[in-house]
Amino acid sequence: MSYNNLMYLHLVTVVPCFLIGTLLLLIKKGTKVHKDFGRVYMVLMLITASITLFMPAVVGPRLFNHFGYIHSFSFLTIYTVPTAYWAIKKGDIKSHKRKMILLYFGAIIIAGGFTFFPGRYLNELFFG
């Protein structure tokens, strides 16, 4: 699959993550709506993080001529989603909350912010 196809697939999965994640931060926790949207959010986050692992870094140094610094957010996501899920299943609400907030701000807000840096697609798209 081409880089552009992967990028578009990533955008199709990460944009709903941003919207759902924002909603989850704002609504009452523990409700059916929270749990249902939370499951969708976690699955989409795993899919979007997995997609990015196939996308070579285009800005900055690369490890194995593929992985860049931004890939660390993908690995963070692949680790955090299951551990946050297991935490809530064990009733550890504090750990679940901490992990989900870290996931949202780290993998969506911070990593998403990096995608607007010069040399990246979204920077070209929005700022020409």
Side-chain angles (χ1 to χ4, degrees), residues 83-100:
T83 59
Y85 179 78
W86 292 323
I88 202 62
K89 284 298 178 189
K90 290 190 303 187
D92 188 351
I93 296 168
K94 183 177 178 181
S95 177
H96 172 78
K97 180 180 179 179
R98 185 178 68 249
K99 289 172 185 285
M100 295 310 292

XYZ file of all heavy atoms in Angstrom, residues 83-100:
151
model
N -3.453 -1.640 28.417
C -3.255 -1.500 29.862
C -4.362 -0.661 30.494
O -4.759 -0.923 31.635
C -1.868 -0.924 30.201
O -1.714 0.355 29.587
C -0.758 -1.863 29.736
N -4.884 0.310 29.765
C -6.023 1.093 30.265
C -7.276 0.220 30.322
O -8.078 0.331 31.255
C -6.269 2.308 29.380
N -7.448 -0.632 29.334
C -8.590 -1.552 29.316
C -8.511 -2.523 30.501
O -9.494 -2.720 31.213
C -8.624 -2.317 27.991
C -9.753 -3.306 27.905
C -11.050 -2.876 27.624
C -9.536 -4.660 28.105
C -12.095 -3.779 27.551
C -10.570 -5.566 28.033
C -11.855 -5.128 27.752
O -12.888 -6.024 27.683
N -7.327 -3.103 30.706
C -7.167 -4.034 31.822
C -7.365 -3.326 33.155
O -7.921 -3.908 34.088
C -5.795 -4.708 31.782
C -5.636 -5.642 30.610
C -6.596 -6.460 30.070
C -4.468 -5.839 29.824
N -6.081 -7.141 28.997
C -4.778 -6.785 28.824
C -3.184 -5.302 29.867
C -3.848 -7.217 27.884
C -2.267 -5.738 28.929
C -2.598 -6.672 27.955
N -6.926 -2.100 33.254
C -7.092 -1.341 34.501
C -8.570 -1.176 34.833
O -8.985 -1.400 35.977
C -6.413 0.027 34.392
N -9.385 -0.802 33.860
C -10.808 -0.595 34.153
C -11.497 -1.924 34.430
O -12.406 -1.997 35.251
C -11.518 0.222 33.036
C -12.793 0.865 33.586
C -11.810 -0.601 31.813
C -12.579 1.851 34.705
N -11.056 -2.982 33.763
C -11.641 -4.303 34.020
C -11.341 -4.772 35.442
O -12.138 -5.494 36.040
C -11.137 -5.339 33.004
C -11.779 -5.208 31.650
C -13.261 -5.448 31.773
C -13.993 -5.284 30.489
N -15.441 -5.313 30.638
N -10.196 -4.356 35.981
C -9.828 -4.693 37.360
C -10.433 -3.728 38.368
O -10.260 -3.891 39.569
C -8.310 -4.703 37.527
C -7.614 -5.843 36.822
C -6.145 -5.966 37.198
C -5.393 -4.705 36.933
N -3.949 -4.815 37.129
N -11.116 -2.684 37.880
C -11.717 -1.708 38.771
C -10.778 -0.594 39.203
O -11.100 0.173 40.105
N -9.625 -0.508 38.554
C -8.654 0.529 38.888
C -8.968 1.786 38.069
O -8.334 2.073 37.051
C -7.242 0.023 38.610
C -6.155 0.969 39.099
O -6.489 2.110 39.513
O -4.978 0.569 39.070
N -9.948 2.528 38.520
C -10.433 3.704 37.803
C -9.347 4.773 37.695
O -9.183 5.399 36.646
C -11.707 4.260 38.471
C -12.822 3.224 38.363
C -12.123 5.598 37.865
C -14.029 3.511 39.222
N -8.592 4.970 38.760
C -7.548 5.994 38.769
C -6.501 5.730 37.677
O -6.125 6.635 36.929
C -6.884 6.050 40.145
C -5.840 7.125 40.291
C -5.288 7.151 41.702
C -4.213 8.210 41.828
N -3.654 8.249 43.176
N -6.054 4.494 37.568
C -5.067 4.138 36.555
C -5.655 4.261 35.147
O -5.005 4.768 34.228
C -4.559 2.711 36.788
O -3.666 2.341 35.775
N -6.882 3.795 34.976
C -7.559 3.891 33.682
C -7.663 5.354 33.249
O -7.326 5.700 32.115
C -8.949 3.259 33.765
C -9.782 3.470 32.543
N -9.593 2.736 31.398
C -10.799 4.329 32.287
C -10.468 3.142 30.483
N -11.203 4.105 31.005
N -8.104 6.194 34.150
C -8.270 7.619 33.846
C -6.944 8.253 33.455
O -6.852 8.970 32.450
C -8.873 8.337 35.057
C -9.081 9.815 34.845
C -9.690 10.459 36.083
C -9.883 11.948 35.882
N -10.496 12.574 37.052
N -5.905 7.979 34.225
C -4.580 8.537 33.956
C -4.074 8.093 32.574
O -3.591 8.906 31.787
C -3.594 8.116 35.049
C -2.213 8.735 34.922
C -1.266 8.329 36.049
N -0.920 6.909 35.956
C -1.320 5.974 36.816
N -2.072 6.288 37.852
N -0.958 4.719 36.658
N -4.226 6.821 32.280
C -3.762 6.296 30.994
C -4.543 6.870 29.821
O -3.964 7.194 28.780
C -3.840 4.769 30.984
C -2.812 4.098 31.865
C -3.072 2.611 31.966
C -2.125 1.943 32.929
N -0.788 1.787 32.398
N -5.833 7.020 29.981
C -6.650 7.529 28.884
C -6.388 9.014 28.635
O -6.379 9.461 27.487
C -8.135 7.258 29.139
C -8.489 5.776 29.162
S -7.871 4.822 27.764
C -8.845 5.483 26.450
